[in-house]
Structures are given as C-alpha cells and as structure tokens.
Amino acid sequence: MSSHPFADTPEPPYVAVIFTSVRTPGDNGYAVMSASLDALAREQPGFLGVESAREGVGITVSYWTDQAAAQGWKRVAAHLVAQRRGRDVWYEDYRVRVATVEREYGRDTSGLDAG
Amino acid sequence: MSSHPFADTPEPPYVAVIFTSVRTPGDNGYAVMSASLDALAREQPGFLGVESAREGVGITVSYWTDQAAAQGWKRVAAHLVAQRRGRDVWYEDYRVRVATVEREYGRDTSGLDAG
C-alpha cells in the first residue's frame, strides 16, 4: 500500500473490481503471493489504482480503465494464483463483483451533499 | 457487522456505493454515529447489504437495488452526519464512488477462472 490510500482515479466512467474475502488460518505463502499480485497489477495495461483493507473480512477494490482491462487482469491473477498454491489454500470464501463507476466525489467536491 | 461478512446480493445488475476514508485521530462520537448509520442503512428501501473493513484506510461498500435507492441513502446519511458533528470531524479525507455491478461470482461459481 502506498502512503496515499486513495486510488487516483480519473473522471468516470471506469471499472471497479470489488474483491471481498475471508482468509484461511495461517499464511501458507499468502503474503508473498499477495505482494506479487499487487506488483503485477500495477504493471497491467489499464490499471488505475487499488484500495485495500482487512478487518475480519478483506476488501480490495482495484480500478481499471475499462472492462477489457479488468478482464485481462482477471486472467493474469487467476494464472498466478493457480501457479502458486491455489485460491482454496488462502481463501475460506470470497466474492468478486465487477462494476462500472458512474460518479465519484470526495470531501473537496462537496461530498455527501452533492448530486 | 453480521457474522457472515458477505452481502447477500441478488443477480446483477444492482448498485454499489464504495466509500473509502481516512479517519481523524480520536473517536469524537464516531463509534455511536457509525452504529446509527449502519442501523439506519438496514432500514432504507432498496438496501441489499454492506461489507466493511478498516486497516489504515477504511472501505465500506453498501449495495442497493438501484440508483434511486443509493441516492435516497445518500440524502439520509448526509442528514444524519450533519445533525451530529459533521464529516470533517471524523474524516481526514474520503472518496465516494457509485457504481453499477454488472457481474458477480464467488468460489462456488467457478471464481477467478470464470467469465
């Protein structure tokens, strides 16, 4: 994670991949795999940024220029995970949701009150 | 948060509101406000579920039947936050992204390998 926790995304539309997971107990090579995935994501065409937190449940949202870029990343990630030990070793359960971001606002753009 | 950390969302499409934040130091009434917000969200028309984690950055993704429901929630949340002490007291910075979920898959639906 960078010191700036927010992905520096452009004007919408762009694509968000919301990955929600519950880990299995123990590391089992997860930390190394996770760092590899993170480094690999940043090299992918169409990568815009990533935000991540774990507190019981883990939520990682990666942002992509378009659906094709998000699909490309999915193939690369699946390949890496399969090469290593496989997702069942690391994740008790997970969900992946692919979404098109239509609006974005923050504290400096009138925030929760804005349309 | 429920013991089951994943939102029980239906077949897409539906709407995800991705709220990413960095807290200010200290509680300042945040815990009470946050619990109120959570309880209030669950009563809103069109609420589907919520997933949340904080680890440096906080990520809360709430899910809604449609854009109108997400907009309705935004107005209710803004009102509650304004009634209490205001978002600048609790958040150093934040981003809100409103997105339409087009695809969802999990471990039991062939996961990272699926289209």
Side-chain angles (χ1 to χ4, degrees):
Chain A
M1 298 230 307
S2 72
S3 59
H4 184 54
F6 300 120
D8 187 23
T9 44
E11 282 287 297
Y14 53 86
V15 173
V17 178
I18 307 165
F19 179 77
T20 317
S21 65
V22 173
R23 289 280 324 278
T24 50
D27 185 71
N28 305 311
Y30 174 81
V32 169
M33 183 280 297
S34 180
S36 302
L37 267 183
D38 193 73
L40 208 53
R42 292 168 197 276
E43 291 170 7
Q44 289 305 299
F47 176 78
L48 294 174
V50 62
E51 296 163 345
S52 196
R54 181 170 298 278
E55 186 187 9
V57 65
I59 306 177
T60 297
V61 189
S62 61
Y63 299 98
W64 303 90
T65 49
D66 52 35
Q67 294 280 348
Q71 281 286 117
W73 167 240
K74 199 170 98 175
R75 280 189 295 272
V76 169
H79 185 67
L80 182 91
V81 168
Q83 271 186 329
R84 306 293 171 91
R85 304 185 55 182
R87 56 175 187 263
D88 291 353
V89 176
W90 296 305
Y91 300 116
E92 208 154 272
D93 202 358
Y94 64 82
R95 299 285 183 281
V96 183
R97 294 178 175 98
V98 183
T100 299
V101 177
E102 281 126 11
R103 285 174 289 140
E104 170 175 350
Y105 46 99
R107 198 175 64 171
D108 301 332
T109 53
S110 80
L112 293 170
D113 308 311
Chain B
M1 297 232 304
S2 73
S3 59
H4 183 55
F6 300 120
D8 186 24
T9 45
E11 281 288 296
Y14 52 85
V15 173
V17 178
I18 307 164
F19 180 76
T20 316
S21 65
V22 173
R23 289 281 323 278
T24 50
D27 184 72
N28 304 312
Y30 174 80
V32 170
M33 183 279 298
S34 180
S36 302
L37 267 183
D38 194 71
L40 208 53
R42 292 168 197 276
E43 291 169 9
Q44 289 306 299
F47 175 78
L48 294 175
V50 62
E51 296 164 347
S52 195
R54 181 171 297 279
E55 186 188 10
V57 66
I59 305 177
T60 297
V61 189
S62 61
Y63 299 99
W64 303 88
T65 48
D66 53 36
Q67 293 281 346
Q71 281 287 117
W73 167 240
K74 200 170 100 175
R75 279 189 296 273
V76 169
H79 185 66
L80 182 90
V81 169
Q83 271 186 329
R84 306 294 170 92
R85 301 186 56 183
R87 56 178 186 263
D88 292 354
V89 175
W90 296 306
Y91 300 116
E92 209 155 89
D93 202 357
Y94 64 82
R95 299 284 183 278
V96 183
R97 294 177 175 99
V98 182
T100 299
V101 178
E102 281 126 12
R103 285 175 289 140
E104 170 174 351
Y105 45 100
R107 198 174 64 170
D108 301 331
T109 53
S110 80
L112 292 170
D113 307 311

